[in-house]
Structures are given as C-alpha cells and as structure tokens.
Amino acid sequence: MSKKIRIATTSLAGCFGCHMSFLDIDERIVELLEHVEFDRSPITDIKHCTDCDIGLVEGGLCNAENVHVLKEFRENCKILIAVGACAINGGVPAMRNHFTLKECLEEAYIHGVGVENPMIPNDVELPLLLSKVHPIHEVVHVDYYLPGCPPPADAFMKVLTDLLEGKEPSLPKEILHYD
Amino acid sequence: MSKLPPQTITIDGQEIPFEDGQTIMDAALAADVYIPHLCHRPGLSPHGSCKLCTVEVNGRSASACTLPAASGQEISNNTPALKEERKTITQMLFVEGNHFCPACEKTGDCTLQAVAYHLDMLDGHFPQFYPRRELDASHESIVLDRDRCILCALCVRASQEVDGKNVFAISGRGIDAKLIVNSESGKLGDTDLSTEDLAAHICPVGAILIKEHGYEVPIGLRTFDLHSIAEPGLEPVILRKGKNRDE
Amino acid sequence: MKGSSGTAHTQEFPNSHSGSNHLLHRLYLLQQQFYHIPAKEIPALANELDLPVSQVESAVDFYTFFHRTPRGRYDILFSNCTSCGDLSMMDVLCKHLNVIPGKTRDDGCVSIASTSCIGMCDQGPALLVNGRIITRLTARRLEQIAAHVDEEIPVLEWPVEWFEVHDQVRKNGLLLSAPFEVGSALRAAIQQGQESVLESITASGLRGRGGAGFSTGMKWKFCRAATGENHYVICNADEGEPGTFKDRILLTSHAHEVFEGMTLCGYVIGAKKGYLYLRGEYRYLLPELEAVLARRTQEGLLGQAILGQADFDFEIEIVMGAGAYICGEESALIESLEQKRGVPRVRPPFPVTSGYLGQPTVVNNVETLVAASYIAVHGSDWFLTHGSNQSAGSKILSVSGDCTTPGIYEYPFGVSIQRILDDCGATNVQAIQVGGPSGTLIAPAEFERKLGFEDLATGGSFMIFAQDRDLLAVIQNFAHFFAHESCGFCTPCRVGTTLLKNGLDKIAIGHGTAYDVDELKRMATLVKKRSHCGLGQTSPNPILDVLERFSHVIEQRLKHTEFEPHFDLDASLEEARQISHRDDAEAHLS
C-alpha cells in the first residue's frame, strides 16, 4: 500500500469557518481518507507537525504565536496553501489595521460598553499582538491560494484532488469566489 | 458604384470594423469583443486611468479606451502575457484599497471583483496597504465608502456629463489621491446628489451605494453569479443591478 | 497676521505678481498669510474665482507647497536631491531648534521638512526658507540659521550673502558665448516674415531642449496650421528633473532671450498671449523677471503693435508653480495653468491642436526658446555648425555631483561623456545619471558614448557618482522621488511607484532576496510599459539600469535565503511590548 499523503491544518487568526467548510465535503471524507492522513490539525488534535506533504493554513497573523505556528507549518509542509480571505488578505481581523494597537485594546478592555474592572489583560502566557494583522504570504512563501469566505467544499476537493493526482491545482470559475 | 468597404482594425487576428471617431474600445465592444475595463463606460467620455484595457497596437502599448481606431492597427488583446499584466494591475488595485469582499454590499455585482475572477486572480500578491480612508454616511440615501474606491472617476464624469451637476472630484496626489465631493463641508449630504442621478448608480464597485439596499439578491442570483464580465451586452445589466433592485 | 517676526510673508517678495487672480497665486497668498490654507477660506476663494469648491480643494491637496495645517513662521525645506541635498544637515538643524522633521514646533515658530531637488545642484547643500533659497550650507551656517530663528529675526533681514545664487558657467558654447542685442530676434523676424522664420527654425534642426526632443519647427508649424480662436505660447520653466539647473541660469541672465523667443513663437503661430510657467522653487527670480517684462513693454517689444507692427500684439504673464514635478510634463503643465491638478492629458489630441483652454498651444522649454531667438538672428546654418546628424546645435548641461567643478557646461551635441568628465574634474567615477532619474544610468564602459538624441539624451541633468557613493542609496532616493511626485492618475504609476519604493527599501535595509529582485524587475517592467505618461514610463529606469549594469550593487545586499518577511517581525511587537511592559523571550520574534 502506497504511503498516504500527510495533511496538516491550522487556523491562525481565523474563525474556523474554512475548517467547517472543509468538513462540508461530508461523506467524501471517507474516500479522501483512503489517500490522506491528517497530521497536526484541530481534527486530530495532534499538537505539532511532522513531515507533511500539504499544509492548509486558515487565518492571518495577528500575534506572535500565529507566527510561530506558521513557521512550523512552512518548515514541515512541502506545499503550503493559504485558505480563505483572512490568510490571503488579512480578512476581518485586519480591519483593526486602521487603528493603533493601543486604541483597539483600550476600546475592548477599558472603554468598551459593559466592561467591568477595566484592565488590558497581561500575562506571560498570552501571546503579544502584532501592530498590524498580516496575510500569511507576507511572512512565508505560499505555494497556492484557495480564496473564499469560506472557500466552498468543492473548492477544497478540487485542489486536494489535483494535488493528489500530481496536477497543478486550478479552480473552475464556478467555485472561484472571494466571498 | 460599389460601396466602400468598411475600415477595419485587427484584434487577435479578427477583423473588426470601425467608424471615424471610434476608439479601439468602442469598435471592440460594438463587435462583442471583450477588452477588460473598469474606468470605461459607454456613454461617458473615456478616461484611461485604470489601465486594465491595456493592449498592444502594432507592438506598442496603448489604452484601448482612449486610442482612436485607425486603419492598419494590429492589436493584441486576449494573450496570456496581457492577461498576466492585467491580473497584476488588478492585484495592485486590490492591495491599494480595502477591498474586503465578504463584508461588501456590492459583492457579486462588483465589476472589480468580476474582472478579477475573469483574470483568475486568486490573491492580492503584494503586501496590503491598509490605508485609512474616510466613510461618508452624511447623505440621507447614499453612502460613500472610500475603502472601495478605485479612482475610476466614473461618478465624476456621470455627474458632469449626464446629470448636469458636479458632485464628485478627485483630489490629492499620488498614492494619497482620493475622491472628494463638491460641498463646503466636504460632506456628501451637503451636495445636490440625488438617488435619481446616474452618478449615484454608476459606481462599478461598492464605494457609492444606495442606503437600505444591500444583500437583497441571494447568492447564486447576483449579476456575476449568472454572467461573466466578458459577456457581450452586459452594460445595461450592470447598471440595472447597480440600482440594487432584484429584477 | 500672526507671528512676532512681524512680517506677513507676502513681504518676502514685495510687489511681485500683485493683481493676479490665478488660483495658484491666490493659494500662495493664503499660505503666506495663514501659514496654511484654512478650511474656511476655501469656499470664499472658490466663490470669488468662480470655481467649484472641489477644484480649489483638490489643488490644495495636490501641490506640495500648500498645507492644511500650519507650517512654522519659518517654513524650512531641505532639498533631498542627491546633488543639492543633505538630509543629515536637516537632522542637525532639527536638533538645534528642537523640531521633529515634518512636524511644526508646538509654539508655531518653525517647521522643517525635506523637498525634491530645488535646482541648486552646483552650489548645495541648499534649503528653502519661506520660499527663499539659501545655498552652500555648512555646519556653521546651520548654527547661524538656528540663532536667527531663535531670535525671530525676519528672513528679509538675514544676511544677503546667504541667499546668493551664482551663475557658474564653466564652459560657454554656441548659445552662451553668442552676443545678443535685445530686440534683434524680433527685428530679424519682422524683416523675414513668419514663413521664413518658421523655415529657418525648421532648417536649423532645433529639437526641444527639455528632454523630449521634438522638432521645434514642426511643433510651431502644426500649431500655426491648427484652427482655433486663440493660439498660445507657453514657456515650460518648471525645471524639476533632479540635477537640472541650466534653465535657472538662462532665466537669471538671459531673460531677454527667453521672452524674445516666446514672442518670436507668438509671431510665427499667431498667438497674442504667452505664459511663463515658473517652478515655485524659483520664486526668487520673479521680481527681476517682471522687471525685464516691464522694460520690454516700455521698449515696444511686448504689448500692442510690437516694433511698430500693427498686427503684432503679444503679452506675457508669469504663473508660478507650487511644487509638483509632474507639471514639467507639457499637458500636466497646461492643466495646472488652467487652475487644476497637474494630471497629464490623454494624447491625442496634442497641445499644438488642443492645448491651453482647448486652443492650439506651443509648449517649449526655456532653452529651446533661447535657441530660437539666436537662430532668428544668426540663421539656421549658424546653428548647424554645431552638433551631430540628428542633434543639431548645442546642449547646455547642468553638471553636478562628485566632480571638482560643478556648474554649467555647453557642448555641441555629439560630445563624448568622457570629455565632459575631463572638463569638470571627475575622476574615479562609478556611474553617471544622464538626464536625471528619468534618464539613463551609465557605467565607465560607456563613457565613450555621445550626448545626443541618437545616443544619450538629456534635458541637461548630468549627475556624477564617485566610487565611494552608495549607488543603491542613490536609486533608492530616485525611487522615493517618483513615488512622491506621481500624480496618481493611473494604476501602474500610482501604486507601482510605491511598490517599487517599498521593494527597493526592503533590499536596501538588507532584507531582500533573489525573489524580491525578481518582483522588483517584474513591477518595473509593468510600470514602464503601461503608465499613462512619461513620469511613470521612466520612473523604473534607475532600477532597471542598476539591475542591468550594476547588478553587484544589488546582489551584495541580498540575503541568501529563499524568503524574507515583508516587515520586521520583532519591531511589529514593539507596541505590544510597551503596553504590556514585557521583554521576555516570548515577547520577541526573530
């Protein structure tokens, strides 16, 4: 039996919507699992990557931990795919880029409606926030992009199937959407 | 006496007739040949700023929307090289502004988005600029969201040439260029723009929107769910959908 | 009027240009009076000039010298040109006066910032203070300037020697050594008649001296033949290409020839009105230029019935620019003259058929008009005694940079680059930027090439860089210049010049890879091919030239990794570190 393709997935500064959309492949996952094995992923709960063929990264970079995870993915995955609007252009989290970090934190934790005991959370275990949210291609080389918010399940299937067949992934117009 | 043969230009090897006074874009659209464009709209004076319609004419670069058609022009339009360059120009527009499609009321009816799909654009490629741009909701019926403005100046021209007004203008220089309105306060609410104006409906993206109309058409039935931007005769469809009514 | 220095800035240039209602002039007056353009002044001005409010607003935001927030009572601008600029001096003066560059000091007294080349490349470093130029800055001079600001001495009372701008003509040539009798060109023209003058200009082979090199005779011929109620002559004195200062000398010491050339053109094309569009940085020339105009009018060389000719009326108006390099492009200049932003027009139609106010217009460079004056007097054969096959006559060069003797050099076209270097005392040369940042960067292997439209063309700028110059910093300077000066009309230039600037910065600070070089090259090629006008089309030249001829300059700065992030990861945590007061290992990224 030939070795299965190893796929790792993660959501950085993402809402997990892309992961949910991926799971919308429904019963097709059974067939898929004949050919692939999931490595580090919320689906498996494996905490760190081993040698992987494909990395699916949802979400952009908003804090130091995101950067560490992204680098681990880039190091361990032969092919890295930016999945969804946030990984590709920053998405919703990047809307904070029009304000300073201080303004954002104060709005959320000091001046926000309904805040009690106003205080910006601070603990060595909390990853520090980057000044701006960035798409992942600004920090590592990305091999492919899967646009959508989220990309439809069919788009995941098309790209993974292409890669499994050793083809250059392509998206037909019907499943190419940015929204 | 025999009739004079029509004057023609050649686009990708195909002979296209033209009349005196027509630009390459005019002749192409009349012959149902699609040249990607954003700042061009039949009925308004050509502008030449977006540069999506860039073509090669006898080996030289030209903007199809402003260059007059002339006998002997051999034009390359639908080539892989031009597609790549147009894709890059589109990516430049995407990274310059704040074009977040999932949260935009124009998604699915947006010409910028549709052109990007047509060119198989998957990402913005360049680092995003994330400019801080001003939203103007002062008008009782119309919103001006500059995050999405691509400086095509269609609204400027529509207001001047069709509406008989002068509501919009482009101000500033370079990367700081921006859309402004012609009122003392600088607010849209203090202009004479009305929802009856062409300028209120001409915006190809989600920068000028009619209030209280958004997401009225389900996904799957929006303009560009049903059509490709490259389809001939789409202009009236785009304009109709621009009025944000489900027809 | 504010400020204990007491004087309104209009007194910096007393009596000049009064009565003009041109939008740029009125905005200049407001800027001087209020140190900025107050928002509430705009509707009143728009109303008075019968312009839409949005047109006035868009001009305020377009031109560098108009500001929305107050500048200091001492508004100081250091040139950032590679020849006449020295930003380390800007930092020194900022320290002396406790000013943050670009930000007006809290007491409103002084503001210090940088600006594009001000045309003092042979006598830099230089700065503008309240619109007046101080040359040959030294550490001592900076201390003195700081002291004068501290004591709030009005700029008009500062030592006159500080403001001296010298004509440093190192080598005369065909034009600069020829004598000129005021009025002689017009007398010759009237004697010959319009057709004959036109033939003479055409036969002389004179081509535009601003850089583009279009046949002057043809331009005048097309314009003369074009139909229009009024014809216009415009002298392009916007001299904004960094490293160019030759028109400055002509305007300073040969103003009669300039105005006579304009009038001559008017005679040929049937124009009654001419405009001198003078760059704002040369405002100090305005009083003397207006005096020359007044003298010429007195002597019957301007105004009605010139030299007694009944149908020969011609008057000249000077319009000052307000800090925008793009206004040196002829159609953008016309837009500016029409009181709008300087955005280049769609061509065709060309100015000769549809120019100022849609009327047939000739736009000529200062030097071109001077040459025309001399040709009218001495004939086309005289002009043809100098030059090469396709480049008749001489070229006045402004030589600057790393040489012993910067200044003005006039050569016949066809002169070799090496000859110029020998004459100006340039040894150990690494590279020369011929024609300014929009021109060509050449290496020593090419120093036998010739100056001329057949080979190396230039509007006059000739900037020399010695071996010890950081050439990457030079083209970085150029990339920043173009991004700053792009008019913003078309996508490739508006966005592309910023992408090129950012991409080059990334390489210059040591975070570039081979991938970044490829990206730079790809963007440079696109901007060059697809931009709307000459600015965009030439802006990538320095980058492309360095990649072709000086690739080691880039390569030695590259990191040999596959990919470098587009921003400094650790620096992007600095804000969070400050807010959380953390400095542990997890508070940093490598």
Side-chain angles (χ1 to χ4, degrees):
Chain A
M1 189 167 89
S2 62
K3 198 159 159 272
K4 284 189 183 178
I5 300 290
R6 293 192 74 73
I7 300 184
T9 81
T10 186
S11 176
L12 302 175
C15 70
F16 274 100
C18 294
H19 275 77
M20 296 302 102
S21 181
F22 169 67
L23 291 174
D24 279 346
I25 62 175
D26 296 332
E27 70 279 3
R28 289 180 284 179
I29 199 166
V30 175
E31 162 80 30
L32 188 64
L33 286 170
E34 300 285 316
H35 309 282
V36 317
E37 212 162 72
F38 284 91
D39 191 270
R40 170 180 179 161
S41 169
I43 298 171
T44 60
D45 213 26
I46 296 173
K47 302 296 185 197
H48 287 285
C49 292
T50 61
D51 235 346
C52 289
D53 299 286
I54 299 172
L56 299 175
V57 177
E58 170 189 342
L61 300 164
C62 78
N63 65 25
E65 204 232 345
N66 292 157
V67 178
H68 287 304
V69 173
L70 178 64
K71 286 186 170 181
E72 180 182 303
F73 266 69
R74 181 67 273 184
E75 265 172 47
N76 290 284
C77 302
K78 291 194 190 57
I79 293 171
L80 198 66
I81 306 180
V83 174
C86 297
I88 292 176
N89 61 44
V92 166
M95 288 177 163
R96 76 158 167 87
N97 288 353
H98 304 307
F99 306 96
T100 65
L101 191 57
K102 192 153 181 286
E103 284 173 315
C104 292
L105 290 168
E106 287 181 351
E107 174 66 22
Y109 295 108
I110 313 281
H111 310 304
V113 173
V115 168
E116 294 196 8
N117 299 323
M119 194 183 91
I120 295 174
N122 193 357
D123 189 289
V124 287
E125 289 201 23
L126 291 176
L128 291 183
L129 292 164
L130 305 177
S131 285
K132 303 285 169 207
V133 173
H134 292 268
I136 66 171
H137 76 270
E138 293 190 15
V139 173
V140 297
H141 173 71
V142 171
D143 297 293
Y144 300 109
Y145 299 88
L146 191 50
C149 188
D154 287 346
F156 281 98
M157 281 310 297
K158 176 69 168 57
V159 169
L160 288 176
T161 311
D162 281 347
L163 288 172
L164 289 174
E165 290 173 10
K167 293 199 290 219
E168 190 70 8
S170 73
L171 280 180
K173 295 270 200 278
E174 310 81 67
I175 51 176
L176 170 57
H177 295 295
Y178 306 144
D179 59 1
Chain B
M1 193 173 98
S2 60
K3 209 171 119 179
L4 281 169
Q7 307 177 85
T8 62
I9 54 178
T10 309
I11 302 182
D12 293 331
Q14 184 189 351
E15 271 197 23
I16 311 281
F18 74 92
E19 286 158 25
D20 279 333
Q22 281 191 318
T23 60
I24 294 173
M25 178 70 79
D26 293 332
L29 289 178
D32 287 345
V33 170
Y34 176 66
I35 303 176
H37 56 273
L38 284 169
C39 70
H40 181 74
R41 193 63 69 88
L44 295 177
S45 63
H47 196 52
S49 67
C50 74
K51 296 306 182 195
L52 259 298
C53 74
T54 192
V55 290
E56 300 276 319
V57 180
N58 299 89
R60 293 187 65 186
S61 179
S63 301
C65 66
T66 51
L67 190 64
S71 287
Q73 283 172 339
E74 295 207 10
I75 298 154
S76 297
N77 171 41
N78 200 8
T79 68
L82 276 171
K83 181 181 170 186
E84 274 311 297
E85 286 194 59
R86 289 170 180 155
K87 183 160 86 174
T88 302
I89 292 170
T90 310
Q91 287 170 327
M92 289 161 82
L93 285 170
F94 266 87
V95 303
E96 180 191 14
N98 295 306
H99 296 278
F100 185 56
C101 295
C104 176
E105 297 81 356
K106 198 77 174 182
T107 189
D109 294 307
C110 170
T111 312
L112 175 68
Q113 188 188 65
V115 167
Y117 290 155
H118 174 75
L119 298 169
D120 288 313
M121 185 186 104
L122 297 179
D123 70 313
H125 187 75
F126 304 104
Q128 295 280 147
F129 289 17
Y130 299 117
R132 182 90 187 255
R133 291 186 178 176
E134 218 187 290
L135 178 88
D136 183 345
S138 61
H139 194 285
E140 67 173 348
S141 326
I142 302 165
V143 171
L144 175 55
D145 188 341
R146 293 182 174 89
D147 276 343
R148 302 128 178 213
C149 179
I150 56 171
L151 301 170
C152 69
L154 277 169
C155 57
V156 177
R157 287 173 277 153
S159 189
Q160 287 170 351
E161 296 170 19
V162 174
D163 300 331
K165 299 180 181 176
N166 188 21
V167 173
F168 295 102
I170 308 282
S171 178
R173 191 172 92 197
I175 201 65
D176 298 322
K178 58 184 177 180
L179 188 64
I180 61 169
V181 302
N182 190 18
S183 67
E184 285 188 19
S185 65
K187 292 292 181 196
L188 191 65
D190 294 328
T191 67
D192 57 355
L193 182 69
S194 96
T195 53
E196 304 297 306
D197 295 344
L198 179 62
H201 301 279
I202 195 91
C203 182
V205 299
I208 299 175
L209 294 168
I210 311 297
K211 288 186 180 178
E212 294 174 33
H213 292 283
Y215 304 114
E216 287 169 318
V217 179
I219 293 178
L221 296 177
R222 305 165 304 182
T223 309
F224 298 112
D225 293 325
L226 303 171
H227 306 280
S228 156
I229 188 77
E231 274 175 43
L234 211 50
E235 304 288 355
V237 176
I238 292 173
L239 197 59
R240 200 168 64 238
K241 280 296 166 70
K243 296 190 177 185
N244 274 303
R245 271 176 217 105
D246 186 6
E247 287 184 30
Chain C
M1 251 147 267
K2 299 179 189 137
S4 57
S5 59
T7 47
H9 290 195
T10 38
Q11 292 191 34
E12 307 286 12
F13 296 101
N15 302 320
S16 79
H17 223 48
S18 51
S20 168
N21 255 346
H22 194 276
L23 176 62
L24 295 185
H25 181 65
R26 293 298 299 271
L27 286 173
Y28 165 76
L29 291 178
L30 281 174
Q31 176 69 36
Q32 297 310 107
Q33 184 182 357
F34 297 106
Y35 310 101
H36 68 301
I37 312 288
K40 61 178 174 52
E41 294 290 327
I42 291 173
L45 181 63
N47 196 33
E48 192 198 322
L49 299 181
D50 197 25
L51 296 172
V53 164
S54 54
Q55 188 170 334
V56 178
E57 294 275 357
S58 68
V60 172
D61 285 329
F62 183 86
Y63 295 95
T64 304
F65 294 158
F66 303 139
H67 303 274
R68 294 270 179 190
T69 56
R71 308 293 293 169
R73 295 189 291 282
Y74 296 92
D75 183 16
I76 298 174
L77 291 169
F78 279 79
S79 164
N80 60 29
C81 166
T82 55
S83 285
C84 65
D86 186 340
L87 293 183
S88 69
M89 288 196 160
M90 182 180 82
D91 292 334
V92 167
L93 191 63
C94 281
K95 280 202 181 58
H96 283 326
L97 291 169
N98 202 23
V99 169
I100 299 170
K103 194 173 173 307
T104 306
R105 205 168 74 181
D106 285 340
D107 63 356
C109 174
V110 55
S111 58
I112 301 174
S114 71
T115 191
S116 304
C117 174
I118 62 178
M120 297 295 140
C121 316
D122 60 341
Q123 44 206 286
L127 58 76
L128 286 158
V129 53
N130 296 354
R132 297 187 58 195
I133 296 181
I134 297 180
T135 55
R136 301 176 205 282
L137 295 169
T138 59
R140 172 97 189 97
R141 181 71 78 242
L142 293 176
E143 286 169 12
Q144 292 168 325
I145 289 170
H148 278 62
V149 170
D150 279 335
E151 290 163 49
E152 304 223 27
I153 300 170
V155 175
L156 272 178
E157 293 170 29
W158 291 17
V160 175
E161 320 78 85
W162 294 5
F163 300 90
E164 273 171 16
V165 178
H166 298 290
D167 283 1
Q168 300 186 128
V169 178
R170 310 298 188 187
K171 188 177 187 314
N172 277 332
L174 188 64
L175 300 183
L176 293 177
S177 59
F180 186 77
E181 197 194 300
V182 174
S184 59
L186 293 179
R187 274 182 251 276
I190 288 166
Q191 206 182 37
Q192 295 167 36
Q194 296 163 319
E195 301 275 0
S196 178
V197 173
L198 182 56
E199 268 166 39
S200 195
I201 298 290
T202 310
S204 75
L206 175 62
R207 296 169 67 165
R209 292 294 193 256
F214 194 81
S215 157
T216 308
M218 260 169 71
K219 191 180 263 193
W220 290 17
K221 178 169 153 203
F222 289 150
C223 189
R224 175 180 159 83
T227 45
E229 225 181 274
N230 297 303
H231 286 55
Y232 293 97
V233 177
I234 296 176
C235 175
N236 184 344
D238 199 56
E239 189 158 77
E241 186 71 44
T244 322
F245 50 93
K246 48 98 185 173
D247 289 339
R248 183 192 91 212
I249 273 70
L250 295 173
L251 292 162
T252 304
S253 306
H254 297 267
H256 276 286
E257 290 96 304
V258 178
F259 292 136
E260 198 139 329
M262 289 176 71
T263 315
L264 185 74
C265 178
Y267 179 66
V268 170
I269 68 170
K272 294 198 181 314
K273 183 69 183 270
Y275 289 97
L276 180 80
Y277 186 93
L278 182 63
R279 68 179 310 209
E281 295 85 342
Y282 288 174
R283 184 173 288 274
Y284 74 96
L285 292 174
L286 191 54
E288 181 55 30
L289 287 169
E290 293 199 315
V292 172
L293 286 177
R295 281 206 288 283
R296 289 182 72 83
T297 308
Q298 259 186 355
E299 288 168 33
L301 298 169
L302 276 175
Q304 302 202 308
I306 290 172
L307 290 176
Q309 301 293 297
D311 307 329
F312 190 8
D313 304 335
F314 194 73
E315 61 165 24
I316 294 176
E317 189 181 322
I318 302 176
V319 174
M320 298 294 310
Y325 164 76
I326 186 61
C327 289
E329 197 278 341
E330 67 175 4
S331 67
L333 189 160
I334 291 173
E335 287 285 300
S336 183
L337 205 54
E338 291 183 9
Q339 307 182 110
K340 296 178 272 181
R341 297 185 310 145
V343 175
R345 292 177 171 179
V346 169
R347 272 77 50 83
F350 293 91
V352 286
T353 48
S354 173
Y356 181 62
L357 301 178
Q359 300 296 308
T361 306
V362 163
V363 182
N364 270 149
N365 174 261
V366 172
E367 188 184 346
T368 311
L369 292 165
V370 168
S373 288
Y374 282 102
I375 291 167
V377 175
H378 299 287
S380 54
D381 286 343
W382 164 85
F383 197 68
L384 287 163
T385 60
H386 282 226
S388 58
N389 244 333
Q390 289 171 45
S391 314
S394 65
K395 184 76 193 83
I396 302 176
L397 295 179
S398 29
V399 176
S400 71
D402 301 328
C403 58
T404 59
T405 323
I408 297 294
Y409 291 76
E410 187 182 7
Y411 291 100
F413 271 121
V415 66
S416 73
I417 303 299
Q418 187 58 53
R419 170 72 197 276
I420 303 168
L421 295 176
D422 294 339
D423 287 347
C424 72
T427 51
N428 217 18
V429 179
Q430 183 186 174
I432 307 171
Q433 188 73 33
V434 181
S438 69
T440 322
L441 185 67
I442 59 171
E446 297 165 274
F447 288 177
E448 286 311 315
R449 287 175 69 177
K450 313 271 192 274
L451 211 65
F453 297 104
E454 305 96 305
D455 193 353
L456 281 169
T458 171
S461 175
F462 193 92
M463 296 195 283
I464 302 167
F465 303 109
Q467 287 296 342
D468 60 358
R469 281 261 206 163
D470 180 354
L471 207 58
L472 189 50
V474 167
I475 61 161
Q476 215 185 345
N477 175 296
F478 296 162
H480 280 244
F481 168 78
F482 284 119
H484 179 66
E485 298 288 351
S486 168
C487 80
F489 175 73
C490 74
T491 313
C493 177
R494 184 182 70 244
V495 186
T497 51
T498 293
L499 287 172
L500 288 174
K501 175 183 98 164
N502 293 345
L504 203 53
D505 283 351
K506 186 176 194 245
I507 292 171
I509 57 168
H511 286 286
T513 61
Y515 168 74
D516 294 311
V517 174
D518 284 343
E519 283 285 283
L520 202 64
K521 194 155 182 206
R522 193 166 71 93
M523 180 55 54
T525 309
L526 184 140
V527 174
K528 186 172 177 66
K529 259 184 19 183
R530 309 294 174 191
S531 290
H532 177 68
C533 82
L535 187 157
Q537 289 155 11
T538 58
S539 64
N541 284 353
I543 292 172
L544 291 169
D545 285 344
V546 153
L547 286 172
E548 193 190 305
R549 298 182 175 92
F550 300 90
S551 55
H552 60 279
V553 161
I554 301 260
E555 270 148 33
Q556 66 200 20
R557 202 71 67 96
L558 295 181
K559 272 185 108 156
H560 297 288
T561 51
E562 256 199 54
F563 191 92
E564 278 293 301
H566 286 279
F567 62 98
D568 185 331
L569 289 167
D570 190 53
S572 81
L573 286 177
E574 181 56 32
E575 252 185 289
R577 280 194 292 265
Q578 299 229 352
I579 295 170
S580 64
H581 305 293
R582 276 175 60 182
D583 203 19
D584 51 284
E586 294 304 314
H588 287 272
L589 279 169
S590 54

